[in-house]
Amino acid sequence: MTSWWCLLAVSITLLSSSSSLVDAKCPPPGNSLCNCSEVVGTTNELLVACDGQAGMVTVMDLKYQLDGIPEKEIVELAIYRLKNWQGLRTDFFDKYEKLTRLGLAANPNGNFKLPVGIFEKIGKQITTLDLSTCNLTEKDLPPALLEPLVNLKEIDLSWNNIQGLRRAVFDAIPSVQTIDLGDNKLTQLLPYLFAGVKNLTMLDLNDNLLTEFPPDLFEDPQPALKILDIGGNKISKLTAAHFAMMPNLTVLDARKNPINVLPPDLFSQTPQLGRLSLNGIQASVLPASLFKGLPLESLDLSNSGVRSYPETLLTPVASTLEELHLDNSINLFSLPPKFFKGMDVLESVDMSNTGLDLLPSTFFTDLKGLKKLKISDNRWLISLPPPKDFSENLKIIDAKNCPKLPPVVTKWIANNFDSRPQLMDFPINIYRSVNREILQRIIPAAPTTTVPPTTTPPPNKAQNWNNNNNGGYNNNNGGYNNGYNNYGNNNNGNYNNGNNGNGNNGNNGNNWNNNNGNNNNGNNNNGNNNNGNYNNGNNNNGYNNNGSNGNNWNNNNNGNNNYGNNNNGNGGNNSNNNGWGNNNGNNGNNNNGNNNNGRYNNGGGGGWGWGR
């Protein structure tokens, strides 16, 4: 989760530099090492962020810097990266009468420990508490410490060293709505751990060491629970009983768990499920009725071991599904002919880096609402369905690094679509920054470019400082990925597709460098049609092609290799799909899959030839 304290620090820096802001209560610039600004649109409400690396070392240093700021007017306070917390007294926050949001994140020092009683005077007013990245263990969270926080709504305990928690910890904060325990070392969850919590809306357990997700975490149904993240664990089994207490669940992230079997009725208890990630699970077969009755809008089946899907798998969600991910599935060799039938509202499809050699012949015909298609890094893809059938809504086709696609197809894509490399990460983790509204609330029209800090902040789930120069596209999707800190300077059109959305903790950078059309591999052969010479570094399957994967299309070999020319009267009476022909009225000059004079002849249904 992008901690709110970091957003607060950036916001205050921007606010402090604004000439239109009147900081009536804040000390003059230079009088305090803590950043201070007034909340826009209010009076007598201050935001304060104190970075220990600005010169504060001890608690006494911190207190000295805060003494120049009216404590009674501070509504949000963030203290991070303080080196020495020894001497922290229980009355430290007693004078902060308006404080509602307290961030003590990024204090991983061994001496950071909150004494019991420190929240005694301010407990009733605190709604948000951020203790992420503090090297905490379960011993540092006694129930007595949290008991005064009777109105706490959000607690962030992510990026710590918590291995287990007692039920009494959450019994002490019964009003909490958002619990983030992601990126810890949890090995098990005790039965009825959250029995005392009645209004939970989001539970984040991502990237722990859980081998089981207990069905008895709650004592009563949780009708308010909308978001559950159990991704990146070691859970091997899920059944409908695990979700029986979550009747209104709308977002489920179960990515990267070694789940081998998915029961047909797995989601029968979650009829409101709209976003689902099964990315990276190990099941080789999916039941045809798996999504029956679900109003799915986004579905992630990427990194799958499935070789093919049931033809009617998507039929139950045909009227609602808008986004589909099948990428990075190298064992996926084929799709049923009617797999996309009726998918009129599907807008975005990612089928990059698969084992597919053909798409269903009615692919473009069925997907009438398709706007974005990514089929890059498909080494075996030799054809596309007829172009006459594609939707007028289709504006983007990313087909980079498909060495077996004939030049006539790549040329058609380049001439008719935005063919730049696309980042199509599954944005299921938009909720990770539960306090992300702070920028909108404090700065209604926040700049799109922010200046990175001089030192690297602690690991947040998605802290993206994007410096987009000269038209560079940095597609980090607002920070939906765990542990990715992308400080990307995208210059001269370089497309930095950071954060692959696969939960790989910062790997798979996929930097697509267009390099202004230069051929970086030195193979600039006369007559080669290099199609823009894309230098594909570190693509999804780990191959560093450096131009060696067939991106140079040599079209000038004395008429040879013309992909469909000089067919010498071969008739179009076969049923081959996606053939490459001259389009002179001959339907399907494909010769039953023979490779005549360099042309690719793709067997399989349709009987329609591409023209040059």
Side-chain angles (χ1 to χ4, degrees):
M1 182 176 69
T2 303
S3 296
W4 68 267
W5 58 265
C6 188
L7 296 177
L8 174 62
V10 175
S11 304
I12 291 175
T13 301
L14 294 172
L15 284 167
S16 298
S17 62
S18 173
S19 59
S20 61
L21 185 66
V22 179
D23 291 329
K25 296 293 183 180
C26 291
N31 284 22
S32 176
L33 294 178
C34 294
N35 290 319
C36 174
S37 284
E38 289 187 6
V39 177
V40 172
T42 69
T43 58
N44 300 328
E45 289 189 0
L46 304 181
L47 311 177
V48 178
C50 301
D51 185 352
Q53 295 195 3
M56 293 164 282
V57 177
T58 67
V59 173
M60 290 303 297
D61 294 337
L62 173 65
K63 183 169 177 51
Y64 178 77
Q65 298 300 326
L66 286 170
D67 279 346
I69 304 173
E71 301 102 324
K72 294 181 180 181
E73 311 301 337
I74 297 176
V75 295
E76 298 182 4
L77 175 62
I79 305 170
Y80 52 105
R81 297 193 290 201
L82 196 67
K83 293 183 179 179
N84 190 344
W85 281 90
Q86 291 181 353
L88 180 65
R89 296 177 12 175
T90 57
D91 62 350
F92 188 88
F93 298 114
D94 283 2
K95 296 181 180 180
Y96 292 75
E97 298 177 357
K98 292 185 178 180
L99 188 63
T100 59
R101 294 158 66 93
L102 177 60
L104 299 174
N107 288 293
N109 309 297
N111 56 22
F112 177 79
K113 185 174 183 179
L114 297 176
V116 173
I118 196 169
F119 301 128
E120 193 65 36
K121 290 289 183 68
I122 63 170
K124 292 182 179 180
Q125 64 209 40
I126 297 294
T127 60
T128 300
L129 178 62
D130 189 347
L131 295 175
S132 62
T133 323
C134 288
N135 202 28
L136 299 176
T137 68
E138 50 272 26
K139 294 181 180 179
D140 299 316
L141 296 169
L145 173 67
L146 303 177
E147 281 177 355
L149 302 171
V150 293
N151 294 311
L152 189 68
K153 303 301 181 186
E154 302 168 333
I155 186 168
D156 187 352
L157 297 170
S158 63
W159 291 99
N160 283 296
N161 289 311
I162 301 171
Q163 299 181 18
L165 287 170
R166 292 171 291 169
R167 169 178 170 174
V169 172
F170 298 103
D171 285 348
I173 47 175
S175 297
V176 71
Q177 297 177 357
T178 298
I179 299 175
D180 191 342
L181 289 166
D183 296 279
N184 275 282
K185 298 179 180 179
L186 292 169
T187 57
Q188 66 173 344
L189 302 174
L190 296 178
Y192 303 108
L193 178 63
F194 304 112
V197 180
K198 304 301 181 181
N199 297 302
L200 196 62
T201 60
M202 192 275 279
L203 177 60
D204 190 343
L205 300 167
N206 83 90
D207 293 285
N208 277 281
L209 303 173
L210 298 172
T211 57
E212 181 185 4
F213 180 64
D216 54 358
L217 283 176
F218 306 101
E219 194 170 46
D220 301 305
Q222 297 288 313
L225 186 58
K226 303 288 186 181
I227 301 166
L228 174 65
D229 187 349
I230 54 175
N233 281 284
K234 299 181 179 181
I235 299 169
S236 59
K237 182 180 180 180
L238 286 177
T239 67
H242 289 92
F243 308 112
M245 293 291 186
M246 313 172 193
N248 296 315
L249 195 67
T250 59
V251 177
L252 173 62
D253 187 348
R255 61 180 170 76
K256 294 194 175 300
N257 278 292
I259 302 172
N260 293 314
V261 177
L262 296 176
D265 65 342
L266 178 59
F267 304 115
S268 60
Q269 303 294 318
T270 57
Q272 305 300 320
L273 197 60
R275 306 187 66 83
L276 172 64
S277 177
L278 297 175
N279 175 346
I281 63 170
Q282 297 180 7
S284 58
V285 177
L286 298 188
S289 60
L290 184 62
F291 307 129
K292 183 179 180 181
L294 299 183
L296 281 181
E297 297 177 0
S298 297
L299 175 62
D300 185 359
L301 297 175
S302 58
N303 289 283
S304 170
V306 176
R307 293 179 178 271
S308 187
Y309 292 102
E311 190 164 49
T312 59
L313 179 68
L314 301 180
T315 301
V317 296
S319 62
T320 58
L321 193 64
E322 299 177 358
E323 177 183 24
L324 176 64
H325 289 256
L326 301 174
D327 51 295
N328 295 312
S329 300
I330 58 176
N331 292 324
L332 182 60
F333 298 131
S334 65
L335 290 172
K338 298 181 180 180
F339 187 66
F340 295 103
K341 185 177 181 180
M343 307 292 293
D344 294 341
V345 299
L346 189 59
E347 297 180 353
S348 178
V349 177
D350 188 350
M351 293 189 292
S352 58
N353 191 29
T354 69
L356 294 171
D357 58 353
L358 292 172
L359 302 184
S361 60
T362 58
F363 177 80
F364 288 127
T365 306
D366 291 336
L367 299 182
K368 297 180 176 62
L370 188 63
K371 296 180 180 180
K372 182 187 293 187
L373 173 64
K374 185 173 183 179
I375 52 174
S376 60
D377 302 301
N378 278 299
R379 293 179 294 163
W380 312 111
L381 188 64
I382 58 178
S383 181
L384 289 182
K388 63 183 178 65
D389 294 330
F390 75 89
S391 167
E392 61 181 13
N393 298 314
L394 185 58
K395 304 298 181 184
I396 297 173
I397 298 182
D398 177 3
K400 301 300 178 293
N401 197 28
C402 295
K404 293 190 177 183
L405 275 183
V408 62
V409 179
T410 57
K411 183 178 180 180
W412 171 73
I413 292 173
N415 290 343
N416 293 280
F417 302 95
D418 179 354
S419 58
R420 294 174 295 184
Q422 300 292 318
L423 178 70
M424 294 173 64
D425 284 343
F426 188 67
I428 195 169
N429 296 330
I430 190 170
Y431 61 87
R432 287 207 185 282
S433 179
V434 294
N435 304 297
R436 64 190 180 282
E437 82 286 349
I438 189 169
L439 276 181
Q440 286 76 22
R441 183 166 53 77
I442 298 175
I443 310 176
T448 56
T449 301
T450 57
V451 180
T454 56
T455 56
T456 304
N460 295 315
K461 291 180 185 173
Q463 171 122 355
N464 302 314
W465 301 97
N466 306 321
N467 189 8
N468 300 325
N469 299 318
N470 299 322
Y473 290 79
N474 189 310
N475 298 321
N476 285 312
N477 280 340
Y480 302 140
N481 305 289
N482 299 335
Y484 297 159
N485 294 314
N486 296 317
Y487 302 91
N489 295 316
N490 303 320
N491 301 314
N492 300 319
N494 294 330
Y495 299 85
N496 185 344
N497 296 339
N499 299 342
N500 217 3
N502 298 328
N504 291 329
N505 297 323
N507 296 321
N508 297 331
N510 298 345
N511 295 314
W512 298 84
N513 300 319
N514 199 346
N515 293 323
N516 300 321
N518 295 321
N519 189 342
N520 292 324
N521 62 10
N523 295 324
N524 192 356
N525 303 314
N526 294 332
N528 287 340
N529 183 358
N530 290 315
N531 293 326
N533 301 320
Y534 288 86
N535 182 6
N536 306 327
N538 299 329
N539 56 34
N540 289 337
N541 56 11
Y543 294 101
N544 190 338
N545 295 310
N546 292 324
S548 64
N549 206 9
N551 285 336
N552 298 320
W553 305 97
N554 192 321
N555 231 10
N556 297 312
N557 293 326
N558 298 319
N560 295 325
N561 270 342
N562 284 327
Y563 301 101
N565 293 328
N566 302 322
N567 240 351
N568 298 322
N570 292 324
N573 58 354
N574 55 59
S575 61
N576 295 330
N577 178 41
N578 304 330
W580 308 98
N582 288 322
N583 201 19
N584 293 323
N586 297 322
N587 294 329
N589 297 325
N590 298 316
N591 292 327
N592 298 318
N594 295 321
N595 188 348
N596 294 328
N597 294 325
R599 73 192 283 191
Y600 285 89
N601 300 299
N602 311 321
W608 194 89
W610 278 77
R612 297 180 69 104

